[in-house]
Amino acid sequence: MVEAVCGACCQEKEDSFKAPQRAAMMPDLRAIKADWNFIMKNGDGWRDHLAVALNSIQDSIGRFSPSGKMGISGLLLIVFIAIFAPFVTFYEPSAISGMSLEPPGPEHILGTDELGMDIWSQICYGARMSLLIGLAVAMISGLGGGFLGLMAGYMGGNWDRALLRTIDITMALPSFPLLIVIAAFLNPSILNVMLVLVFLSWAKPARVVRSQALAMKKQQYIISARLHGAGPVYIIRRHIMPEALPLIFVSILNISSYAIVAESGLAFLGLGDPTSKSWGMMLHYATSFRSIYFTPYWQWWLMPPLIALIFLLLCLAFIGRDMERIVDPRLRSRGGQ
Amino acid sequence: MSLLEIRGLFIDYYSDRDAFRAVDDLNLTLERGEVIGLAGESGSGKTTLGLAIMGLLPDNVRSSGSILFQGEDLVAMQDSDKDRIRWRHIAMVFQNSLEVLNPVIRMVDQVSEPMIEHLGLGKEQARARCVRLFEQVGLDSVWLDAYPHQLSGGMRQRALLAMALSCDPDILILDEVTSALDAFTKKEISDLLCRLQKTADCSMILISHDITFLSAVSTRMAVLYAGRIMELGATSEIINYPMHPYTRGLINSTPGIFLYRDLWGIPGEAPSGQVRGCPFFGRCTQRVDLCSRQPPRLLPVRVPASAEGMTVGSSERDVACHLGGVVTLLRASGLNYSYRLSDGKLLDAVKDVSLDLREGEVMAVVGQTGSGKSTLAHMLAGVMGSDVGEIFFDGKKMNGDRYGSGYGGIQIVFQDPASSTSSRLSVLDAVKEPLDINGLHSPRERIELVASALSSVGLPTTDEFLRRHCGELSGGQRQRVAIARALIMRPKLLIADEITASLDVSSAANILRMLKGLQNCRGFAMIYITHDLMIALKASDRIAVMDGGRIIETGNSHYVMLYPRQEATKRLVGARIHKSSGGNCI
């Protein structure tokens, strides 16, 4: 671990640093040990951290615009429905509970599909799928990409350059066509879809966080901390991480919308997991119903998943927009008082 | 044979209960025609020494050792023999002029008295000689028949001088002759003494706490502290380059030597009882264990060749210090640093810079923007290494080590208040951070240390303030927090990189005074980076002028200001805006 770290910073070339500066930046064994001791001794530091994070989230929500607040309540509503799906529905989503293609009525509030399955149930359980994929992909690629960016930005050198090239390549790839191709070749399982999405979306948070780390490591208080003997672990944990987390959070929101759309798109094209009950699959089945537009069925079969999807994406977009505004340093400094 | 030789002199005052040592193992020689100055704070034993040479010590005194005047020991001498030498060979001008003169006897009689007694002159002869003596000291002969109270202070001092000169003594001891006089009279007296020394060819011992006066008249100087000589050497050289911390403190407390500098006394008080070790121990900034156990002996030291204002090889200097005088804290030699520009060219930011910094010394590095000051500061602090060259701190070579990670190291305070502390951290966390990182002290002690550091930089220590985020503070407050964070590590060297450049004048002045005050009382050395020459002159002992990455001129700040040698320095000095010359623009 130590060797890897030293190796990384020994090859710092990105910022025209020269040899002695590199030497000064080189985290020595002692500093890392000191870091470790610090973490061991200050175990409750993490709890403080959490409190600070919660506080800042609370602060941020206070600064949301009305549309942002709407977004949050909408998202909470969907999350609620997804979690308590068994309690807000009357039928299993895949149970044949009525006649096929029943219009909305007291028995089935949103009617049934061609197999006689309850549409409301499918919407509620489908929310689980959309949220799961959205959040899981966003968490993995946001945190993972953020971590990579942080390391590369702080350590610099070859790691940084390698990461930067990989980011460029990943971002240059036409993501949706690639998604279709990959999904078509792999088994259409949820896991595969998620892996493909992660692969295509980690680059953006990595890039954002890397540039943040790069800018911050020149800050005088970080130089001071380093002169006081702080190792990289301490500096990242204490100084850089708290500044980078909001950016990662915004990324997570954006990626989750992207992942939800992408999953629905794949499912719509028939590349999703056929056994899953996601909104995309509902759209897929509805649109595959021959001449659905000549029947009134589209009104209760096609529209609900579409509206649900649009509603979820709108909520995420509203939240994301406000978050971006809040973590933007220029606007934040004014709003910080 | 020397005219006067003092060997191993001890003088103790005895009272009912205890003894006080006024002169402690003192050795001093005076050659014929030499003017030696005895400097020191009150109570340092200067006057006692003068009285001992005159043989006028009070009864409750026991002295040992020897004072050899032309081979005769004055200490062991009978009183009758002392009378023979007193006035005739060794005369003294006393300090308090109204008390030493008899108010009911005319001046002429008082001045004549020693002549009649010692030289056996008749009354008329004595009067004639009085007239000449009065002329010599610049007194009109109309005052011969005046009574002492009719004369002004300066006149009385002159009359006393005439009295002391009356028997043409070999040694003249002048005890604080100028202390109570105004500046003009002081100047006249010191001119008079210079003239007398040339014409009368008598040796003088000047006792004064006024170093300006001593520097004007004396050729050699002995600095006394608690009855011991701390430093002995040529006067001008001692003033330019004091080697003992006490001498340096004394010079810093003297107005008129370096006109631009602020006054700072030596913190602390002289020891009142017996001390086992060095008497200056309690006030010294560079004390070590040995100093508290064993008194240092007055030994010859080598004045470093790099010292400014010294003619190389001329200096003979004795210093009583276990460390051989003020030690060199930081020595940098041949430092180079170049930045790689975006077009691949190298920009030499620092070129062949060498500098020495002594313990407790304040050095200002001045220069225009882009002259490499900050780069140099960052190299010295270990923010970045040097391409070439080496830095020794406290005798140890710096190898990219972080000297800021422990007590007694190097700390740096940066320019930009907005980035010097993290806006996110509370004041408590920001100041405590170095202790946290290095795991020093228990959490409770850390908070106490933070409170004391904050109060020393003049910030409140209430819980409310400790919890406040640094982002909510003003620029001046944040800079104070940054200074507190540096001071909590008790640095031996504090590097201040343009710390007041982005503050308003009032905050800047407050911070500067506070920092200089802390420096004075804690005794850390400081490198003060600034583009403002006036600030540099106020705060610093020495100035290094940088231009184009090189140090082009270093020296005593006073001399750099008055006699700039290099073009760039002249430019800096000339760039000061004078209000009086501003009117020409209209």
Side-chain angles (χ1 to χ4, degrees), chain A residues 21 226 228 234 238-239, chain B residues 337 402 411 424 433 438:
Chain A
Q21 189 156 6
R226 225 174 52 224
H228 287 135
Y234 173 89
R238 178 88 169 154
H239 288 295
Chain B
Y337 191 84
R402 300 190 186 97
Q411 295 291 327
R424 226 169 19 75
E433 191 176 26
N438 293 298

Side-chain angles (χ1 to χ4, degrees), chain B residues 254-521:
Chain B
T254 306
I257 291 199
F258 303 124
L259 297 175
Y260 297 98
R261 187 155 65 189
D262 269 359
L263 280 183
W264 294 97
I266 310 171
E269 289 292 325
S272 50
Q274 283 283 13
V275 279
R276 270 176 67 214
C278 176
F280 194 56
F281 179 77
R283 302 165 82 181
C284 189
T285 55
Q286 56 175 22
R287 56 189 172 214
V288 293
D289 274 350
L290 181 63
C291 303
S292 66
R293 294 199 304 269
Q294 195 182 326
R297 291 175 53 214
L298 190 67
L299 294 170
V301 293
R302 207 174 52 80
V303 177
S306 60
E308 298 93 7
M310 297 284 109
T311 40
V312 177
S314 74
S315 15
E316 245 176 46
R317 188 78 66 88
D318 295 342
V319 169
C321 180
H322 287 302
L323 301 172
V326 185
V327 295
T328 302
L329 186 64
L330 183 86
R331 168 165 292 153
S333 57
L335 296 183
N336 274 288
Y337 191 84
S338 38
Y339 289 102
R340 192 180 294 280
L341 300 179
S342 50
D343 58 358
K345 279 185 195 150
L346 288 176
L347 174 77
D348 293 335
V350 170
K351 274 186 287 193
D352 297 329
V353 165
S354 301
L355 62 87
D356 284 355
L357 186 76
R358 300 201 293 163
E359 176 91 37
E361 186 175 47
V362 182
M363 179 189 242
V365 179
V366 291
Q368 290 173 315
T369 319
S371 55
K373 309 183 297 282
S374 285
T375 308
L376 177 64
H378 290 194
M379 275 157 83
L380 294 177
V383 175
M384 50 205 202
S386 163
D387 293 349
V388 197
E390 45 195 21
I391 302 170
F392 289 88
F393 177 71
D394 219 1
K396 290 185 285 289
K397 190 170 190 290
M398 274 175 79
N399 281 324
D401 297 344
R402 300 190 186 97
Y403 273 96
S405 61
Y407 284 149
I410 303 177
Q411 295 291 327
I412 183 167
V413 181
F414 294 100
Q415 172 175 2
D416 181 11
S419 135
S420 61
T421 51
S422 170
S423 312
R424 226 169 19 75
L425 293 188
S426 67
V427 171
L428 175 67
D429 285 340
V431 179
K432 194 157 65 83
E433 191 176 26
L435 300 178
D436 286 343
I437 290 172
N438 293 298
L440 299 166
H441 304 290
S442 69
R444 182 185 295 259
E445 283 168 345
R446 285 179 202 169
I447 295 176
E448 281 163 17
L449 286 169
V450 168
S452 78
L454 284 176
S455 65
S456 70
V457 298
L459 285 172
T461 55
T462 57
D463 278 354
E464 188 274 329
F465 186 79
L466 286 176
R467 275 199 304 271
R468 215 186 281 178
H469 288 271
C470 291
E472 300 165 25
L473 303 179
S474 71
Q477 283 175 320
R478 279 185 94 160
Q479 209 60 309
R480 280 168 195 264
V481 169
I483 293 170
R485 184 182 56 191
L487 290 180
I488 208 166
M489 296 301 282
R490 300 174 201 160
K492 272 191 175 170
L493 169 60
L494 184 74
I495 300 177
D497 181 11
E498 296 267 24
I499 53 167
T500 57
S502 40
L503 303 177
D504 65 275
V505 277
S506 169
S507 320
N510 285 336
I511 285 197
L512 199 64
R513 279 199 71 79
M514 174 215 78
L515 194 59
K516 178 66 195 170
L518 284 171
Q519 189 274 328
N520 192 56
C521 84

Side-chain angles (χ1 to χ4, degrees), chain A residues 249-327:
Chain A
F249 193 55
V250 172
S251 291
I252 287 176
L253 278 175
N254 291 339
I255 293 171
S256 54
S257 331
Y258 162 76
I260 289 166
V261 171
E263 186 274 333
S264 306
L266 283 180
F268 175 77
L269 292 176
L271 295 168
D273 185 346
T275 61
S276 76
K277 283 284 171 216
S278 78
W279 294 343
M281 283 320 273
M282 289 174 76
L283 286 175
H284 172 64
Y285 290 130
T287 48
S288 339
F289 187 74
R290 198 178 294 258
S291 57
I292 188 170
Y293 300 111
F294 299 104
T295 66
Y297 307 145
W298 64 269
Q299 295 165 14
W300 65 84
W301 190 7
L302 187 61
M303 288 309 279
L306 198 62
I307 290 169
L309 205 53
I310 291 171
F311 180 66
L312 176 57
L313 293 178
L314 268 179
C315 289
L316 287 174
F318 283 151
I319 301 171
R321 202 186 58 181
D322 269 25
M323 280 301 291
E324 248 166 47
R325 185 179 57 82
I326 287 162
V327 302

Side-chain angles (χ1 to χ4, degrees), chain A residues 2-334:
Chain A
V2 175
E3 269 176 28
V5 168
C6 292
C9 59
C10 279
Q11 276 135 9
E12 169 113 40
K13 277 179 192 139
E14 170 72 15
D15 307 283
S16 76
F17 286 158
K18 300 191 60 198
Q21 189 156 6
R22 272 183 261 136
M25 288 199 147
M26 185 150 66
D28 49 19
L29 255 171
R30 209 180 51 193
I32 288 176
K33 211 170 145 196
D35 258 353
W36 183 244
N37 288 340
F38 177 81
I39 293 167
M40 294 277 80
K41 274 188 215 150
N42 298 269
D44 55 352
W46 289 102
R47 238 171 292 155
D48 289 351
H49 238 56
L50 195 68
V52 170
L54 282 178
N55 263 342
S56 74
I57 288 174
Q58 209 171 9
D59 278 2
S60 315
I61 290 175
R63 277 183 266 135
F64 270 29
S65 66
S67 63
K69 282 178 182 147
M70 250 168 61
I72 289 179
S73 11
L75 185 66
L76 286 177
L77 180 72
I78 294 173
V79 169
F80 177 82
I81 288 172
I83 292 172
F84 298 102
F87 305 102
V88 295
T89 58
F90 309 103
Y91 312 99
E92 282 290 304
S94 31
I96 298 170
S97 51
M99 305 295 290
S100 73
L101 297 169
E102 261 183 58
E107 287 286 302
H108 299 278
I109 36 177
L110 288 178
T112 58
D113 67 2
E114 63 177 330
L115 295 174
M117 297 175 190
D118 186 49
I119 301 252
W120 171 240
S121 295
Q122 289 188 43
I123 293 286
C124 294
Y125 283 88
R128 284 183 168 186
M129 183 55 60
S130 289
L131 283 180
L132 177 73
I133 288 185
L135 281 183
V137 168
M139 283 293 185
I140 294 168
S141 58
L143 293 180
F147 177 77
L148 280 178
L150 197 70
M151 285 299 156
Y154 186 77
M155 299 300 177
N158 276 355
W159 288 89
D160 187 31
R161 285 192 300 163
L163 182 84
L164 209 57
R165 292 298 94 77
T166 319
I167 288 174
D168 286 345
I169 292 168
T170 315
M171 289 185 85
L173 288 174
S175 64
F176 207 73
L178 189 73
L179 197 59
I180 293 167
V181 171
I182 297 175
F185 274 97
L186 296 171
N187 288 331
S189 76
I190 303 283
L191 191 67
N192 280 342
V193 169
M194 273 166 44
L195 284 179
V196 170
L197 288 174
V198 165
F199 171 69
L200 289 172
S201 59
W202 65 273
K204 207 169 171 191
R207 192 142 126 154
V208 170
V209 172
R210 174 191 166 271
S211 65
Q212 175 80 3
L214 215 54
M216 283 199 58
K217 116 183 142 172
K218 301 276 177 60
Q219 291 283 318
Q220 287 166 357
Y221 59 85
I222 288 182
I223 295 175
S224 280
R226 225 174 52 224
L227 289 175
H228 287 135
V233 182
Y234 173 89
I235 288 176
I236 288 177
R237 201 181 62 75
R238 178 88 169 154
H239 288 295
I240 299 186
M241 204 68 138
E243 299 274 327
L245 270 178
L247 296 176
I248 294 180
F249 193 55
V250 172
S251 291
I252 287 176
L253 278 175
N254 291 339
I255 293 171
S256 54
S257 331
Y258 162 76
I260 289 166
V261 171
E263 186 274 333
S264 306
L266 283 180
F268 175 77
L269 292 176
L271 295 168
D273 185 346
T275 61
S276 76
K277 283 284 171 216
S278 78
W279 294 343
M281 283 320 273
M282 289 174 76
L283 286 175
H284 172 64
Y285 290 130
T287 48
S288 339
F289 187 74
R290 198 178 294 258
S291 57
I292 188 170
Y293 300 111
F294 299 104
T295 66
Y297 307 145
W298 64 269
Q299 295 165 14
W300 65 84
W301 190 7
L302 187 61
M303 288 309 279
L306 198 62
I307 290 169
L309 205 53
I310 291 171
F311 180 66
L312 176 57
L313 293 178
L314 268 179
C315 289
L316 287 174
F318 283 151
I319 301 171
R321 202 186 58 181
D322 269 25
M323 280 301 291
E324 248 166 47
R325 185 179 57 82
I326 287 162
V327 302
D328 185 314
R330 276 165 298 166
L331 297 161
R332 188 176 36 174
S333 62
R334 197 186 58 203

